[in-house]
Amino acid sequence: MATLPSSAARSLDLRYQQWIRDIHLGIQNLFLHGLRSLLTMLGMIFGVAAVVAMLSIGAGARQRVMALIEQMGVHNLIVEARETTEWQAHDKIRKISPGLTFSDYRVILDDVDGIQASTPRKRFTPSKTIPKSQQDVPAVYGVRPEYLQIAGLHVASGRFFNQQEETEGAPLCVLGTAARWNMFGASDPTGQFVKLNEQWFRVIGVVGPQLSGESGASGVSSQDDNNVIYIPLNAAILRLEDSYSNVRDEIDGIYINLRDGADMSNSAHVVRAILNSSHHGASDFSVVVPAELLAEQQRTERLFNVVMVAIASISLFVGGIGIMNIMLASILERTREIGLRRAVGAKRGDILRQFVVEATTISFTGGTLGIVLGFVISRMIAWLAGWSTIVTVSSIAISFFVSISVGLVFGIYPAMKAARLDPVEAIRYE
C-alpha cells in the first residue's frame, strides 16, 4: 500500500518532465526557424490586435453613451418640443397643434402618478452676450429650482436660485462649466454680471462639469450641457426674447422625475397620450425615457459583443490556417526526426503531444504579441483621434482564449498525422 503513492508521484513527475521537455523543444524550434515562425504568427498577431482594438473602441463609446444616459436620470421623463423657425412650417403646425404649453404641463402633473419633482423649460440662444463668449454662444435655460435635483447638477461654487427668486423672475443666473470659461476664463464669476440680449443678470453660482451630449446617440440631445446659462423660468419668459419668439412654443421642454418603483413605460405612455390628444396627433414633440434608452443600449452592447466575437473567430481562423500549413510543412522537414524518436521508444502520444505543444506555443506567443499590439493601437487611436477607448479584461481574455483554442484545433490534425507515420518509412524518408 505504501508504494502506490510513491509510484503515482513518480508517474506524475515523469509526465511533468515530458511536458516541460516538449515545451522547451517547441520554443527551441520557434527560434530555430525564427523568420518562418514570425510569419506564421502574423495572422494571429494582427487578428488578436484588431479584435482588442475594436473592442476597446466599442467599450469606450458604450461607456460614454451609457454614462450620458444615466446622467439624464433613469427615473426621469423628458419632453422635448420639435420647434421650427420657418414661418410656413410653423403656420402649418399651428393649424393643428398649439405647441407645448403650460396647460400640457399641468395636465401631465394631474394625470401621471409618482411625480416627485418637475419643471418646464424655456430655452433661448441670445443674440449677444457681455462678456462676449470666446467660443459658441451659450444656451440659456429658463427652469425652476427643481431642475437642480432632476438633472443631478452639482453646484461647484456659489448657489442655485430658489423658489422665491424664480417666482419673482429675479435677474439671476448660474453658469455651466463651459459657459463660465468662455465668458470669464479662470476668474471667479460669482457676484459679477452678464448681459443676455438687453438684460443684465447677476451670477450667483457655477455648476460642475457634465458629460457632453455630443455623442450622436439615438434619443440623446446633441446640446453641450456644459455651455449653458441657467436662469429662473419666469425671468426667461418676462425678460428675454429673441427674433424667433413668435414661432416658439410657449415652453420647449418638460422634465419629470418619478419616484423609485414607478412604472416608467406606463408613465411615458400616459404622457404621450396626453400630448397626442392636446396636439391632435401633430407629432411636434418627443418623449425621451432614459431608462428605455439605457435598456436599448445594453441590448445593443450584447449584440455588439456577439459580432466582435464572430469577427475574432474569422480573423483567428485565418491565423489558424497559417499554423496548420506551417506545421504540415514542418512534419515533412522532420520526418526522419520523427522516425528516429519512434525507433528509440517514443510513443504516438509523445509525437502527438510534441506537435500540439509547438502549435499551441506559436498561438500563445502570437496571441500575447497581438494583445500588446492591440493595446498600443488602442492608445494611439485615443491619442490621435481623441476617442475614448477602454481595453477591458474581457476583451483580452476572449482574444487570448480564442487564440489558444485556434492553436489547439489547428495543431491537432498535423500532430495526428505526424504520430501516425510509420517509423521504418520515416527513417528512410529523404
Side-chain angles (χ1 to χ4, degrees):
M1 295 294 292
T3 61
L4 289 178
S6 177
S7 176
R10 283 196 299 271
S11 176
L12 183 63
D13 183 62
L14 180 60
R15 291 181 181 180
Y16 174 76
Q17 290 179 3
Q18 289 174 338
W19 278 101
I20 293 296
R21 184 180 65 250
D22 289 337
I23 291 174
H24 177 74
L25 287 173
I27 296 174
Q28 191 177 51
N29 187 58
L30 283 180
F31 283 102
L32 184 62
H33 304 90
L35 181 60
R36 186 176 69 182
S37 299
L38 178 61
L39 294 175
T40 304
M41 289 187 291
L42 281 180
M44 193 69 63
I45 292 172
F46 288 119
V48 171
V51 171
V52 171
M54 285 189 294
L55 287 176
S56 71
I57 294 171
R62 290 194 306 274
Q63 185 187 67
R64 183 176 179 82
V65 172
M66 293 182 73
L68 181 61
I69 294 172
E70 290 176 349
Q71 177 181 279
M72 294 169 65
V74 292
H75 292 102
N76 292 345
L77 294 178
I78 303 171
V79 180
E80 292 279 355
R82 293 175 178 168
E83 295 180 314
T84 176
T85 56
E86 297 180 1
W87 281 101
Q88 290 182 345
H90 170 76
D91 187 59
K92 182 178 179 180
I93 290 293
R94 283 297 174 268
K95 290 179 180 178
I96 306 173
S97 166
L100 202 59
T101 64
F102 280 105
S103 177
D104 292 329
Y105 173 67
R106 288 189 290 269
V107 173
I108 289 172
L109 292 187
D110 291 338
D111 291 356
V112 176
D113 296 327
I115 296 178
Q116 64 178 4
S118 64
T119 177
R121 183 198 69 206
K122 186 67 175 177
R123 179 171 53 195
F124 293 96
T125 300
S127 57
K128 59 181 178 180
T129 64
I130 299 177
K132 186 177 181 181
S133 178
Q134 299 302 310
Q135 297 182 14
D136 293 338
V137 176
V140 178
Y141 280 15
V143 292
R144 290 178 176 168
E146 291 84 353
Y147 185 84
L148 183 69
Q149 169 194 342
I150 296 171
L153 298 180
H154 167 68
V155 178
S157 63
R159 64 180 180 88
F160 210 75
F161 45 83
N162 57 39
Q163 186 60 55
Q164 181 180 350
E165 292 165 338
E166 193 280 319
T167 302
E168 296 172 350
L172 306 173
C173 68
V174 178
L175 305 181
T177 302
R180 171 259 176 96
W181 282 98
N182 287 343
M183 302 179 75
F184 292 95
S187 62
D188 183 8
T190 306
Q192 301 190 50
F193 288 82
V194 298
K195 189 176 184 181
L196 306 174
N197 291 345
E198 302 302 324
Q199 296 289 326
W200 287 96
F201 291 80
R202 182 166 59 88
V203 180
I204 61 172
V206 177
V207 297
Q210 301 183 82
L211 288 175
S212 172
E214 300 170 329
S215 63
S218 175
V220 179
S221 171
S222 60
Q223 169 69 42
D224 181 359
D225 291 332
N226 291 302
N227 196 27
V228 174
I229 299 175
Y230 303 97
I231 66 174
L233 178 62
N234 281 336
I237 294 172
L238 299 174
R239 298 176 183 274
L240 291 180
E241 62 179 26
D242 59 15
S243 57
Y244 297 108
S245 292
N246 293 331
V247 295
R248 298 291 193 190
D249 289 13
E250 186 177 10
I251 53 178
D252 52 51
I254 298 174
Y255 295 86
I256 301 169
N257 179 252
L258 300 176
R259 297 187 183 92
D260 289 346
D263 189 334
M264 301 297 297
S265 297
N266 182 64
S267 298
H269 177 74
V270 172
V271 170
R272 290 189 182 101
I274 292 170
L275 296 178
N276 280 327
S277 176
S278 63
H279 293 222
H280 307 289
S283 299
D284 56 347
F285 66 90
S286 62
V287 179
V288 180
V289 187
E292 293 180 355
L293 294 179
L294 185 61
E296 180 63 29
Q297 183 64 29
Q298 290 170 339
R299 286 193 293 270
T300 302
E301 178 183 0
R302 288 192 291 269
L303 178 61
F304 183 84
N305 286 337
V306 171
V307 172
M308 286 299 100
V309 171
I311 293 174
S313 300
I314 295 171
S315 301
L316 296 174
F317 180 80
V318 175
I321 293 175
I323 292 176
M324 178 181 287
N325 182 53
I326 202 65
M327 293 304 296
L328 289 172
S330 179
I331 290 171
L332 291 177
E333 290 181 357
R334 299 163 64 186
T335 301
R336 287 177 59 83
E337 174 193 332
I338 295 169
L340 288 172
R341 287 199 66 191
R342 292 295 309 278
V344 296
K347 299 178 181 178
R348 286 188 174 184
D350 298 325
I351 304 299
L352 178 69
R353 183 175 60 251
Q354 176 187 348
F355 280 88
V356 168
V357 166
E358 288 187 14
T360 306
T361 302
I362 291 175
S363 62
F364 176 87
T365 307
T368 303
L369 294 176
I371 289 171
V372 173
L373 180 60
F375 182 83
V376 172
I377 293 174
S378 173
R379 296 296 94 191
M380 288 182 64
I381 291 173
W383 178 55
L384 296 175
W387 296 351
S388 175
T389 59
I390 302 173
V391 178
T392 61
V393 175
S394 61
S395 67
I396 294 175
I398 290 173
S399 302
F400 196 73
F401 173 77
V402 175
S403 67
I404 295 297
S405 300
V406 166
L408 286 171
V409 170
F410 285 89
I412 285 175
Y413 173 72
M416 291 178 63
K417 185 174 181 179
R420 290 171 181 167
L421 290 176
D422 181 82
V424 176
E425 294 296 328
I427 292 174
R428 294 168 55 187
Y429 180 82
E430 294 293 339

